[in-house]
Every structure is written in C-alpha cells, then in structure tokens.
Amino acid sequence: MGHCGIIKHHARRAIVESLRISVKGIVQGVGFRPFVYNLATGMGLSGYVTNTAEGVEIAVEGPVLGAFVDRLRSEAPPLARILAVDISFAEPAGFSNFEIRESTGVGQFTLVSPDVAVCDDCRKELFDPADRRYLYPFINCTNCGPRYSITRSVPYDRPNTTMAVFSMCGRCLDEYHDTGDRRFHAQPNACPDCGPRVSLANSEGVVIDADVPLLRTVDLLKQGKILAIRGLGGFHLACDAGNRDAVETLRLRKRRNNKPFALMAADIAAIRKFCEVSDEEEALLSSSSRPIVLLRKKGDCRLPEPVSPNNAYVGFMLPYTPLHYLLFNRTDCWQAGRLAGWRASGMDSASFDALVMTSGNIAEEPLVTDNQEALEKLAGLADAFLLHDRDIFMRVDDSVVRVGRQQGSAATVFIRRSRGYVPDPIVLKDEGPEVMGCGADLKNTFALTKGSYAVVSQHIGDMENYETLKFYEETLRNLKAVYRAEPVALAHDLHPGYLSTRWALQQPQKLYGIQHHYAHIGSVMAERGITEKVLGIAFDGNGYGTDGNLWGGEFLIADVAGFKRAGHLSYLPLPGGERAIAEPWRIAVGQISKAVGNEVWDYLAKTGFVGRYGEEQLSAILKISDNRAFSPLSSGAGRIFDAVAALMGVCDRNTFEGETAISLEALVLGGNDDTYPVDIGLREMLEIDFCMTFLAIMDDLERKTDLRLIATKFHNTVAAAILNVAVKLSSITNINKAVLSGGVFQNSYLLGRVLEGLAAEKIVAYTNELVPCNDAGISLGQAYIIRERMKAGIEQ
C-alpha cells in the first residue's frame, strides 16, 4: 500500500460478534478502504480492512455488525460499485483497534476502476491562489484522477502504477496517512514539489518553454497553431475550433476527409452557444466519465463547417483533467504568467469557446501515448508538443455516446466505449468458464470472461495494420494479467480475411467460429442474461454470411445454441467489391439496373448519373454488376442507405464509415409518417426488396420533391418493413422477444420508429445499453455465446 504504514484506531472492547467480509466489484482506487475505516471506527468496531487481488477483505468485531453491513452497502463512496458481498461468521480474534493493513496479492482477481474526471473539490483548489496545488495540472484525490490508464497490476497501490517513480513529499505523505483528509490513501497523490510536470517542446523535441508551458500553449493555439497535447490516456491533436484555417489545416494534415472532429468546451454554457443540450445530455456531459456526447447543432451554429461537415450533430465533451481546465482558464493562469514576467502576443485573458480535441494518431493507427513516439509520429501534424512525464500504461481513447430512448425513458447509447467506462465489467447472470471473444475488424474490441463478469476492452480501432495488432495484443496481455484470466476457448468471426480471425486461428485454445450478426444479437442477450429463443434483428453494413455472401439486413431466430436465418434484405451487387462501399454511387447504379431492367440508361440519364459519372464509367459498372468475382452480393442494410444517399445526390462517397447514412439521417424531418412502396415476399425465406422504393424515389426526384421529405419517407419505409417482417415472424414462431443490434441502429430516428412499432404490437424489444450496437459489441456477443454453450455442453 505504498508509503502507508498500518493505521490504527483504538476501539472499545465490547465484542459480541465477529465477521469476515469479502467485497467484490470496483472497490480499489475509489476510497473504499478509508470509507470502511472511518465507518468502523465511528461505530466503535475493531478489526482491519485490506486490498486483496480479489477486492477488499474486512475483518470486523463488535456489537452492531448488522448495522455496519447495511451501511457498508448504502453509504459506499460514489465511485465504488459493489457487485458482491460475501459474509461469514468467524471466531473472535480479540482485535483491540481497527486498522488498514498492507495489501495482499494472493487471490483470483479484482476489478479496476475506470479513469475519473477531476472532481469539484480539486477544481476549486486548482484555482485557489492560497492552495499549494494552485494551477497544478495533476491535482487529484481519492474521488478523482487516473486509475485504469496508470494501473500496471493489482492490488491498486502506488507501487503498481506509473506513479511509483514519484516519491511523495512530506506534506503529500501526511495527507495520504490522514484519515480525515480527502487524499487519504489516494494512490496518484502529488503536488508541484514531488509530482509530474509539463513541458512544451517544438517539433524537434527541443523544450521551448519550461516556466509557463501552458500559457505558451494557449498563445500558440490562439495563433492558429496545432498542438499535440499529452492527456490521460494518450495524445490529442488540438486547435482553436473557431479558427476555420486551423481546422482545415488539421483536417488536411491528418488526412481526416469528412469525419467529424470532437470538440471540448470549458462549460455547458459554452456548448449551448453551438448546440441544443437537454437535461439528460447535460448530465452525461457533466458525469465523472466525461464522454464525448453527440449533440444536435443549433440552426445558427457558428462553428466552421469543416468541424463536422454535412452532419446535423457534433460531438462535445467537457474538460476531464486539471490540465484541460487550465487551457480554458480566463484569469488565474494569465495572472500567474504576468507574475512570472511572461507576455502573450497581444492578447488579453480571453480563451476559447471550443477546442478541437481529436485523437493524436496517424490515420488508422492506435492512439499515441509516449512522448518520444509522439515527437516521431506526430511531427508532421503538430506545430508544438505539450508533454508531461507521468507514463500512460493503458492507452484509452475518449468515449462517444448519445442520449437515446429505451422503453420510453432516456438512456445512454454508446458509439464508442472507452475512457471513463472501461474496464467496468458487464455482469453476467452466473459463473462460467473463462473465454475470449476476439471481436470484428472494424471498431474492434475483445472481451474476456471471468467468473460472473465479462470485461470488454477499450476501443482498439480498425484491425488494418501491424500497429493496431500490437495494440490489441498489448491490451490483451495487460487485461489478462490484471484479471488473472486465462481463456480456455476463443470465439472469432467467420470472415476469413479478418485480421482478428487470422490471429485467432494461430492461438492454441479451442476455437469457435461465430457468425457476425448472430454475435450482434448475442451482445444484447449477454447484457440481459437471455438464453432462450429470440427474434434477432441485426442491421449493419456487412458481415460474412454462412452462404459466402455479405449479410447485413438479417432476421434471425436465435438462442445460445445457434440460429436460423428467417429473413433478410434482398441481395444487391457491390460493383468493384470494397470500392463500392467507398463509392456508393456504384451500388446505386446496380440497384437502378435491378429495378428498371432494360430502361436503365433512361433512368441513369434522368437521375443525372450520366452527367456525373460519364457513360464509359457507367458502362463498366453495369458490365461487372452481374459478375460475382467483381461484384459480391450483399444484403447489408447500410448499403441500401448508401445507395439512396448517392441516388439523391446527398453523398456519393464514404470518406469514413457511415458517412452517407449520417448525411441522409441529417435531412430527416419529424412529424411525417409517409412511406414508399416496398416488396416483402416469401422466397426461400422472407425478403425485403427495395426496387419499388427506388422507383418511387426517382419519381420524387424528377418532381423536384424536397430532399428532406424523400429522406424522411425512406427512413419510414425501412422502419415499416422491419416491423412488418418482425410481426410476421413473431406470429409464425410465437416468439415475443425481439433483440435489435448492428450499426444501422445507431440511427436514432430509425431505431425510435421501430421500437415504437414493436411496442404497439406488444412485442418486447431489447437493444444494447452497455456496449455499442456497432461492431464494438461483437466481442461480447461472441464470448457470451461460446461461454453459454460450454456451460451447457454444446459443441460448436
């Protein structure tokens, strides 16, 4: 337990009972032992509390143990998450005091706390000139600060973190040992005399300001420069979000194309200058997890368009480290700089309305965490580097969420689950074998199960290169060590080209291939503890199907033993394969051809495709559309959205995954229930064919119908088709539980209409609440399915 000795309090000897209590959950690094100590001593009890590799162990003796156990649960620290309390009677040991004992490392595993945003108490001290940590960028206490990102091993004590290299000064040690202090047993405790420090360097790594680096950083940002800033779980690339030239320069340097940038603002009032913010969204923004929250732009939003092009939403977050708050400070830091003799380049104390704070990495590579690595890899992107010397052990990107509706009430919907939430466990319904879900290749995560928990990794990214694979393996080693997990079986995707699949096939454990969309449904089943048959509705871009085609608009009858495909969207060709996903106008050409047959050239001319893409290119696309070697078939719902967006001229190229669908959703109007015709027929199974929908959209385009109305009617049509098939299948199978998952259901308008329709039909619907519905949730579904199969003795 670091520099702490044994803390004692002499209690009265009135022992009538003796208990041994084991507390499991997130109970390390959240002030739980100090809480237990103060509770026991306040009640006149004797015994001890200690961290173990499984959680917290308590031995307690005294006359009021029932009340002690009740208060242990009801008054626990706000950051603690108690998942299990095991109590047993013991022979009295005759303790004369209550003490916090040194941690022990023997046992199975314990849960590690996510990183926690700086608390209000520390923030007040940060800007208090009388406080010894005034303007100190690493201020923290028992209730806030780094956790997961600095933890090398458990128990969570300072020697097992990256803070081990910083020896606490006398005053910090006094706080650490003082039972009445907010920093009692705060493992990252530090101050300007003994803790980490920041420095500012140029692109060659030469320190350019050691005295007031944060002030110089603000000065450079105000000048339109791009800064690489080392944060909690890695580097950000930052610029002034109000400076269009700076935003465009960052987009160009990072090769970001049209993918939206994340923004940070000083407070809610600043965010409200640009976006609508509901009470639920404000609560999420202000929570200790501090995620990026997707917010609807105001009609008069003044943000430069390159921040979030062709998008009705923008992602905002609030500062979550002291360093972030100092970047936005308007008075204290500038006063400190003047006292130090520093002058800004003609500026007063005004700061920024918002900063772009995007992941500090080269395109498609993992987040950079190390100072030297940043200087090497980000030199061409950043003009200067704000560095610090507290090492990051676990790299963790920012989480991304939005507020959605679940069963009529507001709920957090994950887009990316990482900092602030990982490694919070998913509680499974009972104990089971240790297994691993390897995940998919896009938005990859992996999942480990241990006991009655599943631990899903932070966002790994797209498995496209060796650097990401190294990050995957590094995180896997770390989490296996922390949780003492040794999977006996691995589940992987069926796609033979996935890097995650190829990696799994090289491992010695027993392997299970789990179909992509079945795993999507399994992720919701895992969250809800469902093992019986459900009607699974999995809508996404694509995943490898059991027939060798690309699936993505699927209706499955599924349980943990397996699934049967009961319906799907009609197949459409992807001319040029993956190139068609990047250039969805190709998909639109194939769909037009399918819908109108021999009249294809007339319709290509009427829709403007001939003028946009030329006869030669269109002829080539039509020629390969029927050649499966060059045009694989897809039933992907995401591909239909792509085709419609391209047909409408809204967006004909995906510069990032989901761009066309996002652009289409941005046009949707509320208060309209109109739909287009759609064909739902029984062939080998139920099929939804959108050829008639395409014909009707082309008619509307010829009539110059408002694009917003066309987008709304299309969304309504997709929702109505899903509902129609779901009701038919529910009636045929007598299954009343529907499970919805897949990235297409990130579309809040579409999901809302489907859920409303299912509720009206008295079909109980379940969606992802604890992990994203996109491919980041695949790993949980994979792990849950094979775990339940192994428990039931089901082979493959």
Side-chain angles (χ1 to χ4, degrees), residues 447-773:
L448 296 170
T449 66
K450 180 80 176 184
S452 58
Y453 308 118
V455 177
V456 181
S457 75
Q458 67 266 42
H459 171 74
I460 301 294
D462 296 346
M463 299 284 281
E464 296 182 351
N465 49 55
Y466 177 65
E467 289 79 9
T468 306
L469 179 60
K470 283 202 306 183
F471 174 32
Y472 181 96
E473 293 180 328
E474 161 197 300
T475 307
L476 177 60
R477 282 194 303 271
N478 293 344
L479 281 176
K480 282 172 63 179
V482 166
Y483 289 109
R484 292 172 170 81
E486 288 298 334
V488 297
L490 273 59
H492 61 82
D493 197 274
L494 295 182
H495 199 305
Y498 275 5
L499 182 55
S500 57
T501 299
R502 300 201 305 272
W503 178 87
L505 294 176
Q506 297 173 358
Q507 307 309 309
Q509 291 95 335
K510 185 173 183 178
L511 298 177
Y512 290 77
I514 301 297
Q515 199 279 326
H516 188 92
H517 302 93
Y518 179 34
H520 268 309
I521 301 308
S523 69
V524 182
M525 295 171 72
E527 290 186 21
R528 304 294 184 140
I530 297 172
T531 56
E532 68 272 18
K533 286 190 185 300
V534 297
L535 169 58
I537 307 172
F539 272 45
D540 65 0
N542 57 264
Y544 197 76
T546 56
D547 61 358
N549 292 319
L550 298 173
W551 294 3
E554 308 307 312
F555 296 85
L556 311 177
I557 305 302
D559 59 17
V560 293
F563 74 93
K564 177 184 177 182
R565 194 184 194 199
H568 62 86
L569 304 191
S570 289
Y571 285 117
L572 70 162
L574 304 182
E578 288 192 8
R579 190 169 177 183
I581 298 173
E583 300 175 6
W585 62 268
R586 293 166 171 260
I587 307 174
V589 171
Q591 185 68 10
I592 292 170
S593 177
K594 180 183 175 184
V596 304
N598 293 332
E599 299 178 66
V600 62
W601 282 104
D602 291 339
Y603 277 89
L604 289 175
K606 283 196 293 187
T607 54
F609 272 53
V610 174
R612 270 183 267 169
Y613 307 110
E615 288 188 15
E616 183 178 351
Q617 191 168 210
L618 291 172
S619 294
I621 296 301
L622 289 170
K623 186 175 180 179
I624 66 172
S625 288
D626 293 328
N627 187 331
R628 296 288 76 83
F630 299 103
S631 301
L633 293 176
S634 169
S635 63
R639 304 291 78 87
I640 288 291
F641 279 81
D642 287 347
V644 170
L647 176 66
M648 293 170 59
V650 172
C651 184
D652 66 351
R653 283 172 172 79
N654 273 314
T655 65
F656 64 93
E657 191 200 12
E659 180 177 0
T660 53
I662 290 170
S663 300
L664 198 58
E665 184 186 1
L667 295 174
V668 171
L669 301 167
N672 184 296
D673 296 322
D674 293 346
T675 61
Y676 289 118
V678 62
D679 177 32
I680 301 174
L682 181 62
R683 297 166 181 91
E684 291 184 9
M685 60 190 75
L686 287 170
E687 277 190 36
I688 302 173
D689 191 319
F690 287 102
C691 283
M692 289 194 299
T693 307
F694 255 66
L695 286 168
I697 290 174
M698 288 189 285
D699 288 343
D700 268 355
L701 288 170
E702 192 172 9
R703 286 192 291 265
K704 308 295 184 186
T705 302
D706 188 333
L707 293 182
R708 296 174 299 173
L709 180 59
I710 296 174
T712 304
K713 290 170 68 177
F714 170 68
H715 277 76
N716 293 347
T717 302
V718 176
I722 293 171
L723 183 61
N724 186 306
V725 173
V727 170
K728 280 184 169 68
L729 290 174
S730 177
S731 176
I732 293 168
T733 62
N734 202 31
I735 295 173
N736 198 45
K737 287 183 179 178
V739 167
L740 287 72
S741 190
V744 167
F745 288 122
Q746 290 176 162
N747 184 315
S748 56
Y749 179 84
L750 178 69
L751 178 62
R753 286 190 72 90
V754 173
L755 291 178
E756 287 174 11
L758 291 171
E761 295 290 340
K762 303 294 190 285
I763 297 174
V764 181
Y766 300 95
T767 59
N768 291 105
E769 294 184 1
L770 303 178
V771 297
C773 67

Side-chain angles (χ1 to χ4, degrees), residues 109 171 180 192 257 274 330 386 390 486 494 589 603 638 698:
F109 75 107
R171 287 198 286 180
N257 295 314
F274 309 108
R330 288 170 167 77
L386 185 62
R390 184 181 69 202
E486 288 298 334
L494 295 182
V589 171
Y603 277 89
M698 288 189 285

Side-chain angles (χ1 to χ4, degrees), residues 284-340:
L284 258 181
L285 285 162
S286 304
S287 70
S288 62
S289 297
R290 286 292 203 281
I292 297 167
V293 181
L294 298 185
L295 304 170
R296 181 171 285 279
K297 295 175 184 174
K298 286 185 171 179
D300 60 349
C301 180
R302 294 181 292 103
L303 288 170
E305 179 62 16
V307 167
S308 182
N310 305 315
N311 200 323
Y313 290 82
V314 64
F316 261 104
M317 59 182 159
L318 291 176
Y320 55 86
T321 71
L323 186 149
H324 292 151
Y325 276 105
L326 292 172
L327 291 176
F328 285 99
N329 183 253
R330 288 170 167 77
T331 52
D332 297 79
C333 287
W334 294 88
Q335 178 61 26
R338 283 192 286 271
L339 292 175

Side-chain angles (χ1 to χ4, degrees), residues 138-337:
F138 302 96
I139 189 171
N140 68 86
C141 70
T142 305
N143 300 319
C144 70
R147 298 292 191 275
Y148 178 61
S149 61
I150 64 169
T151 301
R152 295 183 184 275
S153 62
V154 293
Y156 175 73
D157 289 322
R158 194 178 183 102
N160 296 332
T161 73
T162 61
M163 285 296 294
V165 297
F166 299 99
S167 298
M168 281 186 277
C169 65
R171 287 198 286 180
C172 284
L173 273 173
D174 288 343
E175 294 169 332
Y176 185 88
H177 292 306
D178 183 354
T179 59
D181 196 280
R182 204 175 76 254
R183 294 183 172 88
F184 180 46
H185 282 216
Q187 304 305 332
N189 190 28
C191 74
D193 294 332
C194 65
R197 299 189 178 193
V198 297
S199 60
L200 184 66
N202 62 19
S203 57
E204 284 78 42
V206 178
V207 174
I208 55 178
D209 201 318
D211 295 326
V212 282
L214 282 165
L215 290 174
R216 182 74 67 183
T217 297
V218 172
D219 187 22
L220 291 172
L221 288 167
K222 293 295 286 186
Q223 292 176 38
K225 302 297 183 183
I226 295 166
L227 273 288
I229 299 175
R230 195 184 198 192
L232 190 66
F235 274 83
H236 284 113
L237 288 168
C239 71
D240 182 354
N243 186 326
R244 186 185 185 97
D245 290 341
V247 174
E248 288 180 336
T249 299
L250 176 56
R251 189 170 288 285
L252 181 66
R253 289 183 187 178
K254 207 181 177 197
R255 293 176 288 165
R256 183 80 171 194
N257 295 314
N258 292 331
K259 192 172 184 180
F261 282 133
L263 303 184
M264 180 179 284
D267 50 38
I268 298 293
I271 296 175
R272 283 203 165 99
K273 293 180 182 179
F274 309 108
C275 298
E276 304 291 344
V277 183
S278 68
D279 291 344
E280 294 85 1
E281 288 164 341
E282 180 175 350
L284 258 181
L285 285 162
S286 304
S287 70
S288 62
S289 297
R290 286 292 203 281
I292 297 167
V293 181
L294 298 185
L295 304 170
R296 181 171 285 279
K297 295 175 184 174
K298 286 185 171 179
D300 60 349
C301 180
R302 294 181 292 103
L303 288 170
E305 179 62 16
V307 167
S308 182
N310 305 315
N311 200 323
Y313 290 82
V314 64
F316 261 104
M317 59 182 159
L318 291 176
Y320 55 86
T321 71
L323 186 149
H324 292 151
Y325 276 105
L326 292 172
L327 291 176
F328 285 99
N329 183 253
R330 288 170 167 77
T331 52
D332 297 79
C333 287
W334 294 88
Q335 178 61 26

Side-chain angles (χ1 to χ4, degrees), residues 426-447:
I426 311 298
V427 181
L428 305 176
K429 65 175 189 174
D430 50 23
E431 300 274 331
E434 294 179 18
V435 302
M436 175 182 174
C438 298
D441 263 23
L442 292 180
K443 299 179 173 63
N444 178 269
T445 65
F446 62 81

